[in-house]
Structure formats: structure tokens, C-alpha cells
Amino acid sequence: MSVAMSNCGELGWVSDRKGYRYTTMDPLTNAPWPALPPCMQQLATEAAALCGFAGFMPDACLINRYAPGTRMSLHQDKNEQDFSAPIVSVSLGVDAVFQLGGLQRSDKPLRMGLQHGDVVVWGGEDRLRFHGVLPIKPQQHPLTGADRINLTFRKAG
Ligand code: MD6
Ligand code: FE
């Protein structure tokens, strides 16, 4: 099972034969990614500031849809240019269990439940921690049905 992905903002994250990278165009439409809605940019900037990262200006928002059974294995987010900017993650829809690990893949992760509306910010010395999502359990949410939507705001370029 894999996560369905799209993007909004100036840059979008794509994975293809050439590997993982950020592009200014959606390869499925050959058009620029849709603009980041101002209210969402503001939410990401305010959440980052509350966590000590003033002036966070995301240029990319990854949109991930997790169907039941879908997981994301432990990984680091390291395709961005500037690791001094945090990552802001907004969870919508059904519940998930987030794993927050250390700087080595082998470090034992802690588990955190994430519910509709939860926001996680990681940055500074924690920016490159391994993280992931356990398989989504079958459940229903009034707004998203069986799915979980995750938005991650980044300064990619
Ligand atoms: C989450 N998402 O879904 C965390 N990373 O709660 C991620 O860590 C993530 O959704 C890289 C690319 C897409 C993602
Ligand atoms: Fe990630």
C-alpha cells in the first residue's frame, strides 16, 4: 500500500525514476503546482513561531493521503536545501500513530497518537530525526471517510 501524493506551493516533492526531488511543475499536468492557500501558509508560520521558529516561510506543501493499511516507514526529510527551517505537519481525518525516532535509523522511536487537527513541528537539532507512521487502522471520520490526510509544510528551496 502506498501513500497518494500531491503538492501545493511554489515547489512540489516528486518521486520518479530519477529519484526524489522538488520541482516547480506537476509532472502529471505539466502545470505549476496550485498556490498555497494564504490561510494555510499563515497556520504553518504561526505554528512554527509558537515552537520557537520565527519567520518560517514555507514554499512547499506536500499533501499525502493514507488509505487504511497504509504506512510510512522511518525516514528523514532531507531533500530540502536549508535544514535551519522546521517541518510543520498537519493531520486531518482518521487517527494515526506517529513514530519519532532519533538521528540513527536504529534509535528506538517513541509513539505519538495524531488526531484530526493535530500539528507537529520539528526543527533545530531535531530536524533530521527519523520519523514515520504506523499502518492506518480501519476507522471512519466524518470529513474524510476512511482516509488520513497529512499536510507537511517545508522550506524546500
Ligand atoms: C505524517 N509525514 O504523515 C508524516 N515525510 O504524519 C511525513 O513524514 C512525510 O507525509 C515525507 C514525505 C511525506 C510525508
Ligand atoms: Fe517525513
Side-chain angles (χ1 to χ4, degrees):
M1 293 257 182
S2 68
V3 175
M5 293 194 177
S6 190
N7 296 275
C8 61
E10 266 167 71
L11 292 170
W13 196 76
V14 298
S15 109
D16 60 14
R17 285 172 287 131
K18 296 189 219 156
Y20 300 119
R21 66 213 148 79
Y22 282 96
T23 66
T24 55
M25 303 288 243
D26 178 348
L28 295 182
T29 60
N30 282 317
W33 301 104
L36 191 60
C39 61
M40 298 306 291
Q41 188 251 291
Q42 191 182 342
L43 181 136
T45 298
E46 286 178 10
L50 282 170
C51 296
F53 303 100
F56 175 55
M57 274 300 180
D59 56 14
C61 174
L62 267 76
I63 305 164
N64 283 227
R65 188 187 65 211
Y66 296 73
T70 307
R71 65 195 291 264
M72 183 163 293
S73 52
L74 281 178
H75 65 280
Q76 292 170 297
D77 290 357
K78 57 178 186 186
N79 288 97
E80 299 74 30
Q81 301 277 342
D82 178 4
F83 297 144
S84 69
I87 305 262
V88 176
S89 159
V90 175
S91 292
L92 299 171
V94 304
D95 295 352
V97 179
F98 185 70
Q99 292 181 295
L100 185 60
L103 297 177
Q104 307 291 327
R105 187 181 296 278
S106 55
D107 293 338
K108 188 179 188 306
L110 61 81
R111 293 180 174 187
M112 288 166 45
L114 290 182
Q115 298 180 335
H116 180 74
D118 284 345
V119 179
V120 182
V121 177
W122 64 102
E125 65 191 22
D126 300 309
R127 173 65 177 71
L128 291 174
R129 280 182 187 270
F130 279 86
H131 58 278
V133 178
L134 295 182
I136 301 293
K137 298 219 170 92
Q139 48 187 314
Q140 288 290 320
H141 188 279
L143 294 176
T144 64
D147 294 342
R148 171 173 186 259
I149 309 282
N150 180 256
L151 308 175
T152 55
F153 297 86
R154 298 132 188 266
K155 171 103 184 70

